Structures are given as structure tokens and as C-alpha cells.
């Protein structure tokens, strides 16, 4: 009923007020928010890196380094235990060698095996684990075997390596956080991704190379004594003494490119209390001053006292940055490092020393950087597209429904405010695809109102009074709206679960928009309609300025199935052939590589000059093209041989070649590790969403409907992929988002038609199936056309005003809306005939409430 109790009205208005309350901070400045009382909401929707500029990095902790370091430690521990005189006489061995994950001990005598195993038994004991549920039981890191009486083997277990990797990732997160905090940026995001990855997002950062240097340096610092028993060159020519190794120096111009040091770390970087950049008071050269903790200070005092006249080396990441001679005992607990420093490099070294060392080497497997200029342009483009889309939808609804359009537009406005309120409350990040999700929601949010209005018009034409028509229209549209929106919500949830970064932002805004549009349709719109009836007391529904579809159409759609099936079959075959023969123009998300956008400082970019610069870099296939405006260009570099680090080297070369006369706008680097994962995730997302939606429709309808919906949706997906293949549009993560949204939109259309077919199957038990399907499509045709037009209006605004980055995504959406509208009429409904659907198929279900049983045919 349209009557609302006072409690319901208060509840609806309270919910809407909460939405406005939560969204309000987005309109206020930071200073105004700080001045507000603490009980008021202050959370705003955060802007993604593509809107405000910044750097997104995905860092991989190298498992091989964890294994290598653990193996080296195990070899050292075994050698120490075998020589330990406190446990008795040293045990003779012919050699201790480590390879892969195994250490082999070759004994001189077989009778020493039992004694050796007893001494090394400590290595086999479980170690505590805080990262697993079985932490209390511990994890065995090393297992022992005895291939022969004189050979013992100690193998690192997978569980132990995994635990070391988990600990390394946790430690890396803390070290990276300390290093990034030194930048002074606001609200960096540093979090674990999967088993061996760390995501680093730094909003506002405009120098990705400096950030990568600071993050990517392992910064293992150690103080070693110099081995002066032979020269470094002799050690390289022959063999270094046992317990020593040769390292490079950071000042090869000094005439000493290498230095021989003892492996033993006398004092490590973990013993530092502080490190600061300073200047030598004698030479005014930049230096790094450091201060040890109490324990290390005493240790350094003893070492320096016992080694006056000897040299000690300060080694950073296997490179000696200084190797001075100890002139006097150093007992003050502080010292300095001098070298060929600039003020900047000295400060960077001090930051690394303060933050601590990474536990293992890292690789940058993904990088996405947006310059601040492009971020501002993206915000302006998104705002322009949203405003124009909103104005077009508002005007169209007013022209289509008259005063009822005012109610729909008011509901749309509240819907957008609620979206912003929910996004603010959950702390979501708004990305450029997220703006696309909001713009798309603006086009689709009116669908619920269109469904309700068209059903009200239909009931009014069937002879009901105005109040009865409105009441019945709302009740009959309820199940359809829920079914249609749940299918889209399923696609959005799967996209969020399997997606990453900006694609998740798109999924969040789409999902929130679906929920808020259903709420406004069934509560706010109904309340406003009730108030309109009470205050205006109209005698008839208001008419719009036009009707795109005449009332009570009787078009014979099923006749055309003999034409639509062959045409669609040919298009499907052609799409698959083009996909196999030509393949898709995969973006760097799926094939790896580098993409950089620049803006020339001249009125028009000189493409030939840029190509000439880059051709000398030997980077393989390099493409240079205009991107949007004549002064903007896009550089694409194929995936480099040599793994993820090779991509970073290629990027550095390009940026060096382009530096000076081109403004950096954005860059994306995806290594082969991530590109393979993204390709799998995208394929799985589409398949899983189709299966999940099929199960839902099967549950809600019949098996014929479930198969028909999936076939129609696959029809749309394959044709969209064929379009990408024919036009050679770049296929990226945004394309996967577009396809999944097309899946949701197409199913939305299909479910609306199916819901009417289900209703008519219960009402008309003797009508031939062809006529029943024609009737159902005609009943919903006005809604199908109106929804498609409103969605297309929003998408065209996004296509022309949303910027070049979103143009391919939006074009795919426009194509998908057109194909989805076609398939819901000419594919989804006719296939039910092929599946032998018959009137009365829904008899076993409880019939949905329907007023006007006198209009039903009796079997």
C-alpha cells in the first residue's frame, strides 16, 4: 500500500539524512573539518593516485634470496658446531657444501657420524612461529638424512622457507614504512599482497625513481676488518683465504677498485641508534655521522683498541663505502662515514641506515605512476563528465515522464549523495574507473524508476484506478528490480574479489550504487509518490513530451529468430576467428612491458625525434603515438628479456632520453610475474561470474532460463571480444572491468524480460509459447529502450569528456549496452523455444501476488 506510517516516514528521512551527514565532509575544507566537534564525521572520500598523482609499486620479496641466505647460515652453523671444542675434540670433515636447499657434510671417518649427528641435533629442533595457527607447535626448518655412512645431508623444509618468507615480508613492510615516512608524504599505504608481495602507494609523490631507490636498496650495513694477508687483486686471481671475501669499493677512482675483507661482521647496522647527514668541519664535504647503541659502543672500543694501525671497512650491500685506518681507540660510540657524497646521497644513506636493512633483495614487479598534472586533468575530466551525464539524464527523465521525472531526478540526486556518504564512511578510495562507476550508476539508477513507472502505466491502461495502478506497479516491479540488480551485484562482487587497484574502486562504486538505487526506488521514490498523490490529488498520470515506444506494442519478435540466430552465429564465429587469427591487442597488464605518457613543451610533439632517441636504446619494439592532444604522446615498450628488473632498467633509459623537454605525465611498468597473474585473474573473473549468475537464475527461475541467460551473456562477451580484436583496441584490466559490467547490464536486461515471461507463464496457460514471448517482450520494451537510452547518454558523456585514459573502456561499455539490449530481445527469449519451455512451467512455484485475477485465463 502507498500509505506510510509516521514511523516509516521518519525512518526513511533519517536514513537519507545520515547519507547527507556522512557525505557533507567532502564539501568542506580541511581547516573547516578540523574546527568541527569530534563527534561529527570528518572522513572524506580519498582520491586515488590516478586523480591526485602519486606512485603505486608492487614489490616482490625474492624467495631465492631467502633460501640462499638461510643456506649460507646453515653452512656456517654446521661448521661452527663441528669445530666446537667445548663439546669435545673437533670432528674431522672433508668438506661442507651447500646447493639449492641442501647442505652436504662429508665426514673423514664413518665412526664420527653419531657424534656429528648429536652435535647438529639442535638444527633439527622446531622453531616457534608467530605467523601461523600452529605457532605453538613450531616449525621444523631443517631435516636430516644419511645417504652413506660418511655423508650427512641437511635439507631446508618448504614450511621453514615459507615461514622465513612470511617473516621477511612483515619485516620488509616495517622497513619500507620507515623509509617512506622520511618523504613526509601524507597517508602512504603499505600492505601485504599475497605471500611474497608488498603494495606501496604514496599519494602526491612526483619522483618515482627517488622512491624506488629509497625502497629498493637492501641497505645491509656491516663493519668488517680488512684482511691484509694478501691484496684484493691476488685474492681474485687465486683464491681468497678461508673466512674472507673480495668486495667492490664505491671509489674505484682511488686506485683500489676492490678490497679483501673478513666475512665476520664485527658490528651490524642493527646496532645503530641514529644516523644523520652532516658536513666535515675540516673539508666541508658531506658526510654521514652515526651513533652505536651501548653494547656496540663497547664492542667497537675493544675492536679499535686491539687493531690500531689496521683497516676496517664499512660495507653497504657488499660494497665498501669506506675503509679507513684505525689511528686510535674509538670509544665514544659514534663515528662518521666520508666518501664521494653529495648532500642528497649522504641524506639518502642516513635515511637507509636509520630505517634498517631489508631482510632480502626485492624486485619491482609492477609500477603505476601518475604525475600531479595528469591527476588534476583527470579530476576535471571526471567532474565534467559527471555533470554533463547528470544533466542529460535529468532532462531526459523530465521529457519522458513530466512531473514524475522530477521524482525520479530527486531520487537520483539522493542516490548519488548516498553513494558518496557510504564511500566516505567505509574509507573507500575514488579512482578514475570509480568515477566511471558512478557515472554508469547514474545511467542505470533510473532503471528502477523506469521499471516502476512503466508498470504503473501498464496497470493504468488495464483499467485500474490511479492509486491501484501505482500500488500494483510498485509491488509487481519489486521482484524484477531485485533479480536484475542482484545479477549485476554478483558481477561487481567477483570483480572486487579478483580485481586489484583501480578496478576494485570501480567495483566498489558500482556495488554501492546498486544498493543505494534499490533503497531509493523502494522507499524514497514510493514515499515521494505517496506525498504527490496526497497533496496534488491527480486524476491521471502526467504525460511526458514524447514516448520512445508506443503504448501496447504488438511487434512479432519471434518471427525474427530465424534471422537473428544465423546473424548472431556468423558474428560469433567471426569473432572467434578474429580472436584466433589476429588475437587481441593486449596491454601491458597482460603481456608486460612499459607505458609512459609525456607532454611536450612545444605545441606539437615531434614523434620522429622521440622515435630517433629511443631507437638507440636497443629496447626491442618501441611504439610512439599521439595520445589525445597533439602535444601529448604515449610510449609503449615491449616486455624485456631478463625478468622484472629488466623492465626497470628499460624505464630508466627512456626517462633519461626524454628528460629536459618533455613533462612526465604517468608511467606503468608491469613485469612478467604480474602480467601472467593478471591474465589468469581476468579470465577466472569472467568464468566465475557467469557460473555464479547462472546458479542464481536457476534458483530463481527454471533451468531453461539459466541456460538462456548464460548463452545470451556469452553471446555479448564473445562479440565484445571480437570487437576488441577487429578494432585492435588495447585490452587491459579496464577492458575486463568493462566486460564484467556488460555481463551485469546484459543480465539486467535479460532478467527483466524473463521476469515478465515467468509472470505470463502463470497467467496465460493456453497461449502458444511464441505469442507469450512476444507479449512479454512488448510489455517490457518501453522500459528496455528507456533504460538503454539513459545509460547511453551517461556513457557518451563519459566517452567525450572523461579523458583519453577512459575512452577505450567507455567505448566497450557503449558497444556492450547496444549488444546487450539486442541479445535480451532476440537471443535470450527465443532460445527458450529451443529448450522446449511450455506454458505452465512455473506451476509448481508459488505464484507472485497479482491483482486482477479476472484478467487471467483459466486452464
Amino acid at each position: 500500500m502507498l500509505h506510510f506510517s509516521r514511523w516509516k516516514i521518519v525512518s526513511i528521512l533519517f536514513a537519507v539524512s545520515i547519507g547527507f551527514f556522512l557525505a557533507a565532509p567532502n564539501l568542506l575544507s580541511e581547516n573547516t573539518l578540523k574546527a568541527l566537534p569530534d563527534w561529527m564525521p570528518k572522513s572524506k572520500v580519498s582520491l586515488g593516485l590516478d586523480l591526485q598523482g602519486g606512485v603505486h609499486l608492487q614489490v616482490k620479496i625474492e624467495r631465492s634470496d631467502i633460501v640462499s641466505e638461510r643456506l649460507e647460515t646453515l653452512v656456517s652453523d654446521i661448521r661452527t658446531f663441528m669445530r666446537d671444542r667445548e663439546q669435545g675434540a673437533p670432528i674431522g670433515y672433508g668438506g661442507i657444501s651447500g646447493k639449492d636447499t641442501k647442505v652436504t657434510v662429508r665426514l673423514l671417518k664413518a665412526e664420527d657420524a653419531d657424534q656429528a649427528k648429536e652435535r647438529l641435533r639442535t638444527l633439527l629442533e622446531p622453531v616457534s612461529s608467530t605467523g601461523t595457527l600452529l605457532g605453538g607447535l613450531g616449525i621444523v626448518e631443517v631435516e636430516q638424512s644419511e645417504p652413506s655412512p660418511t655423508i650427512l645431508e641437511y635439507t631446508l623444509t618448504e614450511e621453514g622457507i615459507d615461514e622465513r618468507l612470511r617473516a621477511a615480508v612483515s619485516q620488509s613492510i616495517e622497513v619500507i614504512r620507515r623509509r617512506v615516512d622520511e618523504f613526509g608524504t601524507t597517508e602512504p599505504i603499505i600492505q601485504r599482497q599475497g605471500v611474497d608481495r608488498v603494495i606501496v602507494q604514496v599519494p602526491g609523490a612526483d619522483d618515482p625513481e627517488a622512491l624506488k631507490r629509497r625502497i629498493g636498496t637492501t641497505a645491509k650495513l656491516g663493519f668488517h676488518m680488512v684482511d691484509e694477508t694478501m691484496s684484493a687483486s691476488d685474492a681474485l686471481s687465486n683464491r681468497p683465504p678461508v673466512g674472507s671475501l673480495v668486495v667492490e669499493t664505491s671509489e674505484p677512482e682511488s686506485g683500489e677498485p676492490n678490497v679483501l675483507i673478513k666475512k665476520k661482521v664485527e658490528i651490524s647496522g642493527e646496532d645503530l641508534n641514529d644516523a644523520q647527514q652532516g658536513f666535515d668541519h675540516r673539508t666541508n664535504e658531506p658526510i654521514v655521522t652515526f651513533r652505536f647503541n651501548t653494547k656496540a659502543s663497547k664492542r667497537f672500543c675493544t675492536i679499535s683498541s686491539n687493531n690500531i694501525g689496521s683497516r676496517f671497512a664499512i660495507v653497504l650491500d657488499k660494497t665498501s663505502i669506506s675503509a679507513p685506518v684505525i689511528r686510535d681507540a674509538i670509544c665514544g660510540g659514534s663515528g662518521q662515514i666520508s666518501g664521494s657524497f653529495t648532500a642528497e646521497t649522504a641524506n639518502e644513506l642516513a635515511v637507509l641506515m636509520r630505517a634498517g636493512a631489508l631482510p632480502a633483495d626485492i624486485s619491482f614487479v609492477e609500477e603505476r605512476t601518475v604525475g600531479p598534472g595528469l591527476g588534476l586533468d583527470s579530476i576535471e575530466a571526471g567532474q565534467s563528465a559527471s555533470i554533463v551525464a547528470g544533466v542529460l539524464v535529468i532532462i531526459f527523465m523530465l521529457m519522458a515522464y513530466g512531473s514524475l521525472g522530477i521524482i525520479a531526478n530527486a531520487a537520483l540526486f539522493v542516490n548519488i549523495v548516498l553513494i558518496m556518504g557510504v564511500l566516505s564512511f567505509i574509507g573507500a578510495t575514488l579512482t578514475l574507473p570509480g568515477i566511471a562507476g558512478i557515472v554508469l550508476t547514474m545511467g542505470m539508477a533510473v532503471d528502477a524508476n523506469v521499471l516502476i513507472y512503466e508498470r504503473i502505466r501498464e496497470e493504468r491502461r488495464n483499467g485500474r484506478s490511479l492509486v491501484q495502478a501505482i500500488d500494483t506497479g510498485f509491488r509487481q516491479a519489486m521482484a524484477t528490480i531485485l533479480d536484475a540488480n542482484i545479477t549485476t551485484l554478483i558481477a561487481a562482487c567477483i570483480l572486487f574479489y579478483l580485481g586489484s587497484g583501480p578496478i576494485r574502486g570501480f567495483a566498489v562504486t558500482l556495488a554501492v550504487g546498486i544498493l543505494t538505487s534499490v533503497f531509493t526506488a523502494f522507499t524514497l521514490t514510493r514515499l515521494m509518490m505517496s506525498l504527490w498523490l496526497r497533496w496534488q490529488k491527480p486524476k491521471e498520470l502526467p504525460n511526458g513530451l514524447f514516448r520512445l515506444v508506443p503504448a501496447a506494442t504488438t511487434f512479432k519478435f519471434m518471427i525474427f529468430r530465424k534471422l537473428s540466430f544465423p546473424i548472431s552465429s556468423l558474428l560469433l564465429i567471426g569473432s572467434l576467428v578474429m580472436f584466433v587469427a589476429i588475437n587481441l591487442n593486449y596491454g601491458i597488464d597482460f603481456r608486460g612491458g612499459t607505458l609512459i605518457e609525456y607532454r611536450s613543451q612545444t605545441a606539437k610533439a615531434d614523434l620522429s625525434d622521440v622515435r630517433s632517441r629511443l631507437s638507440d636504446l636497443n629496447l626491442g619494439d618501441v611504439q610512439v603515438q599521439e595520445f589525445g592532444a597533439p602535444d601529448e604522446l604515449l610510449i609503449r615498450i615491449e616486455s624485456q628479456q631478463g625478468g622484472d628488473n629488466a623492465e626497470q632498467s628499460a624505464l630508466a633509459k627512456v626517462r633519461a632520453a626524454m628528460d629536459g623537454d618533455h613533462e612526465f605525465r604517468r608511467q606503468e611498468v608491469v613485469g612478467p610475474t604480474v602480467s601472467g597473474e593478471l591474465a589468469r585473474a581476468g579470465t577466472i573473473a569472467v568464468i566465475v561470474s557467469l557460473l555464479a549468475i547462472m546458479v542464481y537464475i536457476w534458483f530463481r527461475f527454471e533451468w531453461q532460463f539459466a541456460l538462456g541467460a548464460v548463452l545470451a551473456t556469452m553471446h555479448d562477451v564473445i562479440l565484445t571480444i571480437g570487437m576488441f580484436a577487429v578494432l585492435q583496441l588495447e585490452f587491459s584490466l579496464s577492458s575486463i572491468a568493462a566486460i564484467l559490467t556488460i555481463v551485469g547490464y546484459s543480465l539486467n536486461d535479460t532478467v527483466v524480460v524473463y521476469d515478465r515471461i515467468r509472470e505470463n507463464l502463470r497467467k496465460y496457460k493456453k497461449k502458444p509459447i511464441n505469442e507469450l514471448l512476444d507479449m512479454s517482450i512488448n510489455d517490457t520494451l518501453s522500459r528496455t529502450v528507456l533504460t538503454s537510452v539513459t545509460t547511453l547518454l551517461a556513457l557518451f558523456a563519459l566517452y567525450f569528456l572523461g579523458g583519453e585514459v577512459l575512452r577505450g573502456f567507455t567505448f566497450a561499455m557503449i558497444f556492450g549496452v547496444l549488444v546487450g539490449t539486442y541479445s535480451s530481445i532476440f537471443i535470450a527469449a527465443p532460445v527458450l523455444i529451443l529448450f522446449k519451455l511450455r506454458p505452465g512451467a512455473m506451476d509448481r512455484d508459488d505464484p507472485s501476488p497479482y491483482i486482477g485475477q479476472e484478467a487471467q485465463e483459466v486452464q
Side-chain angles (χ1 to χ4, degrees):
M1 296 295 291
L2 287 175
H3 175 71
F4 283 82
S5 66
R6 182 173 300 176
W7 181 85
K8 285 186 177 180
I9 294 175
V10 171
S11 299
I12 294 170
L13 295 180
F14 177 76
V16 173
S17 300
I18 291 294
F20 276 80
F21 191 58
L22 293 175
N26 294 285
L27 301 176
L28 304 177
S29 65
E30 292 295 336
N31 291 333
T32 303
L33 288 175
K34 290 179 181 178
L36 294 176
D38 292 337
W39 58 268
M40 294 191 68
K42 299 182 180 181
S43 299
K44 304 171 71 172
V45 176
S46 302
L47 296 181
L49 300 184
D50 51 359
L51 293 179
Q52 64 172 316
V55 181
H56 166 98
L57 300 171
Q58 185 174 161
V59 175
K60 180 183 179 183
I61 312 299
E62 295 296 341
R63 184 185 181 91
S64 58
D65 289 338
I66 300 291
V67 174
S68 177
E69 184 172 330
R70 183 71 185 96
L71 198 68
E72 185 176 332
T73 303
L74 183 59
V75 170
S76 178
D77 289 344
I78 292 175
R79 183 177 289 116
T80 300
F81 282 127
M82 297 288 281
R83 295 175 176 178
D84 189 1
R85 293 183 179 275
E86 293 183 1
Q87 300 187 52
I91 299 175
Y93 57 87
I96 302 175
S97 59
K99 184 178 181 182
D100 297 330
T101 60
K102 185 180 298 183
V103 175
T104 302
V105 181
R106 302 181 185 278
L107 301 173
L108 295 178
K109 301 177 181 179
E111 54 266 26
D112 290 337
D114 291 338
Q115 185 182 359
K117 286 189 288 186
E118 179 62 26
R119 287 195 183 187
L120 301 177
R121 184 168 53 84
T122 305
L123 302 174
L124 310 180
E125 295 177 355
V127 295
S128 62
S129 168
T130 59
T132 64
L133 294 175
L134 299 177
L137 299 179
I139 289 178
V140 176
E141 284 195 294
V142 181
E143 292 178 340
Q144 183 192 70
S145 60
E146 191 175 354
S148 71
T150 57
I151 295 179
L152 300 178
E153 290 184 347
Y154 292 84
T155 305
L156 300 178
T157 65
E158 288 298 316
E159 294 81 4
I161 296 172
D162 291 342
E163 178 60 26
R164 292 273 177 173
L165 184 59
R166 278 192 292 269
V169 171
S170 298
Q171 182 180 344
S172 298
I173 290 174
E174 295 306 314
V175 172
I176 291 173
R177 189 182 306 280
R178 290 195 292 268
R179 294 182 182 182
V180 172
D181 285 345
E182 295 281 351
F183 270 91
T185 57
T186 58
E187 299 182 359
I189 298 173
I190 303 169
Q191 59 190 22
R192 183 188 295 268
Q193 173 87 7
V195 177
D196 58 355
R197 312 286 176 81
V198 177
I199 294 293
V200 181
Q201 293 184 351
V202 185
D206 55 2
D207 190 350
E209 299 307 314
L211 179 62
K212 286 188 292 185
R213 281 198 308 272
R214 184 166 291 187
I215 291 176
T217 303
T218 306
K220 284 192 175 181
L221 184 70
F223 293 78
H224 301 252
M225 295 305 301
V226 174
D227 187 343
E228 298 182 278
T229 58
M230 68 168 60
S231 66
S233 57
D234 290 341
L236 287 174
S237 301
N238 302 300
R239 185 177 180 180
V242 176
S244 299
L245 76 157
V246 177
V247 297
E248 295 181 352
T249 64
S250 59
E251 298 177 312
E253 63 275 6
S254 64
E256 191 179 28
N258 302 291
V259 62
L260 179 64
I261 64 171
K262 295 183 178 180
K263 290 183 180 180
K264 182 181 179 182
V265 180
E266 302 291 349
I267 300 176
S268 72
E270 297 175 358
D271 296 318
L272 292 177
N273 268 351
D274 190 23
Q276 296 290 336
Q277 182 261 332
F279 293 91
D280 191 317
H281 67 279
R282 295 168 300 180
T283 62
N284 205 35
E285 293 180 347
I287 60 173
V288 177
T289 62
F290 59 86
R291 182 162 48 86
F292 292 123
N293 58 30
T294 303
K295 179 181 177 181
S297 296
K298 295 179 180 178
R299 170 76 176 152
F300 196 59
C301 180
T302 301
I303 293 172
S304 58
S305 300
N306 296 335
N307 291 279
I308 293 176
S310 301
R311 297 169 65 198
F312 75 95
I314 304 172
V315 180
L316 180 70
D317 292 342
K318 299 181 180 180
T319 299
S320 173
I321 56 177
S322 182
V325 177
I326 300 175
R327 303 295 183 186
D328 299 293
I330 305 173
C331 298
S334 61
Q336 69 180 42
I337 303 173
S338 59
S340 300
F341 291 129
T342 64
E344 181 181 0
T345 57
N347 182 61
E348 282 194 4
L349 177 57
V351 168
L352 295 175
M353 292 172 65
R354 287 198 302 271
L358 290 171
D361 289 343
I362 63 174
S363 299
F364 295 103
V365 295
E366 181 185 19
E367 175 187 348
R368 301 181 191 274
T369 303
V370 177
L374 181 59
L376 291 175
D377 292 347
S378 298
I379 293 176
E380 293 175 0
Q383 289 176 339
S384 300
S386 301
I387 292 172
V388 172
V391 170
L392 289 176
V393 171
I394 288 171
I395 293 174
F396 180 79
M397 290 301 291
L398 288 173
M399 295 176 67
Y401 290 106
S403 57
L404 289 183
I406 298 176
I407 295 176
N409 290 330
L412 176 61
F413 173 73
V414 172
N415 185 42
I416 294 174
V417 173
L418 291 179
I419 291 174
M420 298 304 297
V422 172
L423 294 180
S424 301
F425 178 74
I426 65 178
T429 300
L430 184 62
T431 60
L432 201 56
I435 290 180
I438 292 177
V439 173
L440 179 62
T441 300
M442 291 169 59
M444 296 179 64
V446 298
D447 178 55
N449 287 311
V450 170
L451 270 169
I452 293 168
Y453 290 170
E454 290 302 309
R455 192 60 190 247
I456 292 173
R457 282 178 170 178
E458 181 183 342
E459 296 299 329
R460 186 72 178 119
R461 288 195 302 268
N462 290 338
R464 304 192 185 285
S465 67
L466 183 58
V467 174
Q468 285 181 329
I470 293 175
D471 185 55
T472 305
F474 270 99
R475 286 195 294 108
Q476 293 286 11
M478 182 180 297
T480 303
I481 292 173
L482 288 176
D483 284 333
N485 281 279
I486 287 174
T487 54
T488 308
L489 185 62
I490 289 173
C493 291
I494 292 173
L495 185 60
F496 176 81
Y497 181 74
L498 296 176
S500 62
I503 303 305
R504 280 193 164 190
F506 171 78
V508 168
T509 54
L510 183 61
V512 171
I514 291 170
L515 297 176
T516 56
S517 63
V518 171
F519 167 77
T520 55
F522 285 125
T523 57
L524 188 62
T525 300
R526 192 162 187 165
L527 175 60
M528 289 189 291
M529 188 78 78
S530 175
L531 296 176
W532 173 70
L533 284 174
R534 183 178 305 176
W535 292 340
Q536 297 294 322
K537 294 182 171 46
K539 301 298 183 182
E540 192 53 72
L541 288 171
N543 292 318
L545 298 179
F546 61 82
R547 284 189 64 87
L548 294 179
V549 178
T553 56
T554 56
F555 197 81
K556 304 295 184 182
F557 290 99
M558 291 304 102
I559 295 177
F560 290 91
R561 73 179 187 278
K562 297 180 180 179
L563 183 63
S564 63
F565 282 175
I567 290 177
S568 291
S569 298
L570 289 175
L571 290 174
L572 290 173
I573 293 172
S575 297
L576 293 174
V577 169
M578 295 299 293
F579 174 73
V580 173
I582 300 179
N583 209 342
L584 297 175
N585 177 23
Y586 291 108
I588 64 170
D589 291 329
F590 297 134
R591 66 181 179 185
T594 303
L595 180 148
I596 314 176
E597 182 181 347
Y598 282 102
R599 173 179 283 172
S600 174
Q601 295 181 358
T602 59
K604 182 177 174 60
D606 189 345
L607 298 185
S608 60
D609 173 62
V610 174
R611 291 191 181 103
S612 176
R613 296 188 200 185
L614 302 181
S615 63
D616 298 331
L617 301 180
N618 299 319
L619 299 177
D621 183 26
V622 179
Q623 302 175 11
V624 183
Q625 65 186 66
E626 284 188 4
F627 189 70
D631 62 340
E632 296 181 2
L633 55 90
L634 197 67
I635 300 172
R636 300 174 191 271
I637 306 168
E638 70 173 350
S639 181
Q640 303 294 301
Q641 299 295 323
D644 296 308
N645 291 327
E647 306 290 351
Q648 294 295 325
S649 299
L651 173 63
K653 291 180 181 179
V654 173
R655 294 201 62 166
M658 298 293 293
D659 192 27
D661 54 355
H662 289 82
E663 174 197 348
F664 162 76
R665 304 274 281 171
R666 70 180 168 112
Q667 67 187 32
E668 298 181 9
V669 182
V670 180
T673 303
V674 171
S675 62
E677 294 172 353
L678 293 177
R680 287 192 300 272
T683 304
I684 292 172
V686 175
I687 295 174
V688 171
S689 63
L690 286 175
L691 291 176
I693 291 167
M694 183 176 72
V695 170
Y696 174 79
I697 295 178
W698 197 327
F699 174 77
R700 289 288 293 138
F701 294 85
E702 285 283 333
W703 67 266
Q704 293 99 328
F705 291 92
L707 290 179
V710 169
L711 286 177
T713 306
M714 288 180 62
H715 166 276
D716 300 342
V717 170
I718 293 173
L719 289 187
T720 303
I721 292 175
M723 179 272 295
F724 273 101
V726 171
L727 300 181
Q728 284 296 285
L729 298 178
E730 182 178 89
F731 195 82
S732 62
L733 275 181
S734 295
S735 306
I736 293 291
I739 288 177
L740 280 176
T741 310
I742 290 168
V743 167
Y745 183 88
S746 173
L747 282 164
N748 185 301
D749 253 1
T750 300
V751 169
V752 169
V753 175
Y754 277 0
D755 195 80
R756 183 54 66 93
I757 293 173
R758 177 176 60 179
E759 180 182 328
N760 287 335
L761 283 170
R762 295 185 179 120
K763 290 168 56 179
Y764 304 102
K765 302 182 185 299
K766 292 184 178 181
K767 189 179 288 294
I769 189 65
N770 288 16
E771 296 179 16
L772 189 142
L773 295 178
D774 282 335
M775 175 191 296
S776 302
I777 295 174
N778 280 294
D779 287 346
T780 58
L781 185 61
S782 180
R783 171 264 157 202
T784 299
V785 174
L786 284 169
T787 298
S788 297
V789 170
T790 53
T791 306
L792 287 171
L793 286 174
L795 287 173
F796 276 119
L798 192 64
Y799 179 80
F800 289 108
L801 302 174
E804 191 69 29
V805 175
L806 279 180
R807 190 152 294 162
F809 168 84
T810 312
F811 181 80
M813 284 299 307
I814 292 172
F815 180 85
V817 169
L818 296 174
V819 171
T821 303
Y822 162 82
S823 68
S824 66
I825 296 174
F826 293 103
I827 302 297
V831 295
L832 297 178
I833 299 176
L834 297 180
F835 295 148
K836 308 299 183 183
L837 184 68
R838 292 290 181 264
M842 312 301 295
D843 283 351
R844 71 173 186 270
D845 295 333
D846 293 329
S848 58
Y850 183 78
I851 296 177
Q853 297 296 326
E854 69 276 8
Q856 296 186 13
E857 292 183 17
V858 181
Q859 186 172 11

